[in-house]
Amino acid sequence: DRRQLGRTAAALDAYDAAARVVPGLPEASFGAWVQTRGPAFVQGPAGEATDYEAARAAWGATVVPDGDPVAADGLAYGRALLDLAEGGEHLTRAAEALASLKARYGFDQLVAFSAERASKTLQDWGAERQRRRQDAERDDLPRVRLVTDRGPILLELFEDDVPNTVFQFVHLVRKGTYDGATIGTTIPFLAALAALDRDLGYTIPTERGGSARFRGAFRGVIGFLGTARDSEAAAFFLTTGTATNLEDEYVVFGRIVEGQVAADALRRGDVIQRAEVVRLRPGSTYRPVDARGELVPAGD
């Protein structure tokens, strides 16, 4: 109960006390290492940065009790979750490790869910890599640079997949909407969320189905935040970890091609000093349609 309420230290004290009363108690070791210490490697206070180097150093410095295979599995679980969050070349190792852990601890919902998510993410990543190769061969997608307190972040936007969403973002960049915007909060190893202090007066339709092509919420993508269908306007997020468990809720419309380190370093209150268009596709107007089906005026 303490762990579920977010009282990690209190939960660990309770598990350690139980282990002292009954040495070798597997339930105490499972709760302490698999359910608590393992997931903690990819957790952090809201508003703080994502730091994979520090997390992996903490993992490497963690010592498990001799002769406790459950504790060793908990440490392995922590590394697998780090691999899953960091994504890319780490996904194969994450999927393999989590599949093995699920075979032993499949009764635990989080372990089972993590294993299933890793397997699906690895499969989807193969398709995404092919899409990115195709994008690179054409080399004509629009690009936008965010200049932040932590450094520049260069974005490539998926105009072929979700054109109206891209039009909206470019439209707002050209208007200077994001100049001076702040990072409202961060969720370490998941995302940084950009906050805006004004209402645009309109929203855009959620691009799902039809001609819109789905792009996954891997680490290093940008998507619009919305509270419901057709509610997207200007607020966006940048993923600092694999967020495929949330991808059905948000529209991904681009990816980071340079500056992932800067995105990971973002903290609550950091400022987007300016956003600038780097490249546009010839022939595109970058005038979005709002949720009512009306073309947004150039000056709005």
Side-chain angles (χ1 to χ4, degrees), residues 128-145:
E128 175 66 16
R129 290 179 64 189
Q130 177 61 29
R131 297 275 284 278
R132 294 186 183 187
R133 283 193 290 267
Q134 294 170 352
D135 292 342
E137 289 172 0
R138 289 191 297 271
D139 194 28
D140 67 345
L141 289 176
R143 290 188 171 188
V144 165
R145 180 181 292 111

Side-chain angles (χ1 to χ4, degrees), residues 138 140-142 157 159-160 279-286:
R138 289 191 297 271
D140 67 345
L141 289 176
L157 309 178
E159 184 175 334
D160 292 327
R279 180 174 71 186
L280 296 178
R281 178 177 279 174
S284 293
T285 62
Y286 299 99

Side-chain angles (χ1 to χ4, degrees), residues 1 17 36 38 52 65 68-69 91 106 112 118 138 147 154 161-162 164 167 180-181 209 215 220 239 244 247 270 285:
D1 290 341
T36 307
Y52 285 96
D68 189 341
L91 285 174
R138 289 191 297 271
V147 180
L154 181 63
D161 305 290
V162 283
N164 193 64
F167 290 176
R215 301 294 288 254
T239 55
T244 49
E247 62 190 13
D270 282 346
T285 62

Side-chain angles (χ1 to χ4, degrees), residues 16-299:
D16 290 343
R20 287 193 296 272
V21 173
V22 185
L25 181 67
E27 290 83 0
S29 186
F30 177 77
W33 287 91
V34 178
Q35 293 186 313
T36 307
R37 288 191 174 97
F41 288 109
V42 289
Q43 297 169 352
E48 294 301 306
T50 293
D51 192 334
Y52 285 96
E53 184 176 349
R56 291 191 180 279
W59 180 88
T62 302
V63 178
V64 300
D66 290 337
D68 189 341
V70 177
D73 282 343
L75 192 60
Y77 186 39
R79 186 180 72 172
L81 292 176
L82 273 170
D83 286 338
L84 175 57
E86 196 163 5
E89 63 185 17
H90 303 284
L91 285 174
T92 299
R93 184 170 65 184
E96 292 174 350
L98 288 167
S100 178
L101 290 165
K102 180 185 177 183
R104 292 193 290 281
Y105 306 107
F107 56 84
D108 183 81
Q109 291 184 347
L110 185 56
V111 172
F113 173 74
S114 299
E116 291 160 7
R117 184 160 72 95
S119 176
K120 183 179 185 303
T121 299
L122 179 61
Q123 180 179 353
D124 292 346
W125 177 241
E128 175 66 16
R129 290 179 64 189
Q130 177 61 29
R131 297 275 284 278
R132 294 186 183 187
R133 283 193 290 267
Q134 294 170 352
D135 292 342
E137 289 172 0
R138 289 191 297 271
D139 194 28
D140 67 345
L141 289 176
R143 290 188 171 188
V144 165
R145 180 181 292 111
L146 304 178
V147 180
T148 78
D149 287 348
R150 303 295 171 177
I153 301 170
L154 181 63
L155 303 166
E156 185 168 82
L157 309 178
F158 300 146
E159 184 175 334
D160 292 327
D161 305 290
V162 283
N164 193 64
T165 306
V166 170
F167 290 176
Q168 169 73 346
F169 185 68
V170 171
H171 173 70
L172 296 177
V173 168
R174 293 166 110 177
K175 288 177 54 183
T177 301
Y178 297 113
D179 297 351
T182 62
I183 300 302
T185 193
T186 62
I187 305 171
F189 304 98
L190 186 66
L193 288 68
L196 295 168
D197 59 3
R198 64 187 180 89
D199 183 2
L200 297 181
Y202 71 91
T203 62
I204 61 171
T206 301
E207 288 191 284
R208 288 254 184 228
S211 61
R213 295 199 302 173
F214 180 82
R215 301 294 288 254
F218 304 98
R219 178 178 177 230
V221 302
I222 181 172
F224 268 136
L225 291 166
T227 57
R229 188 172 182 84
D230 301 339
S231 67
E232 294 87 359
F236 67 83
F237 62 88
L238 297 165
T239 55
T240 58
T242 299
T244 49
N245 54 315
L246 304 176
E247 62 190 13
D248 290 336
E249 301 177 30
Y250 304 107
V251 175
V252 170
F253 64 90
R255 70 183 183 94
I256 297 172
V257 292
E258 295 176 10
Q260 184 67 53
V261 171
D264 290 346
L266 289 171
R267 292 174 170 82
R268 180 192 295 123
D270 282 346
V271 175
I272 300 173
Q273 299 166 11
R274 67 181 184 277
E276 54 196 21
V277 172
V278 175
R279 180 174 71 186
L280 296 178
R281 178 177 279 174
S284 293
T285 62
Y286 299 99
R287 293 271 301 282
V289 171
D290 66 21
R292 298 171 298 180
E294 300 175 358
L295 194 66
V296 173

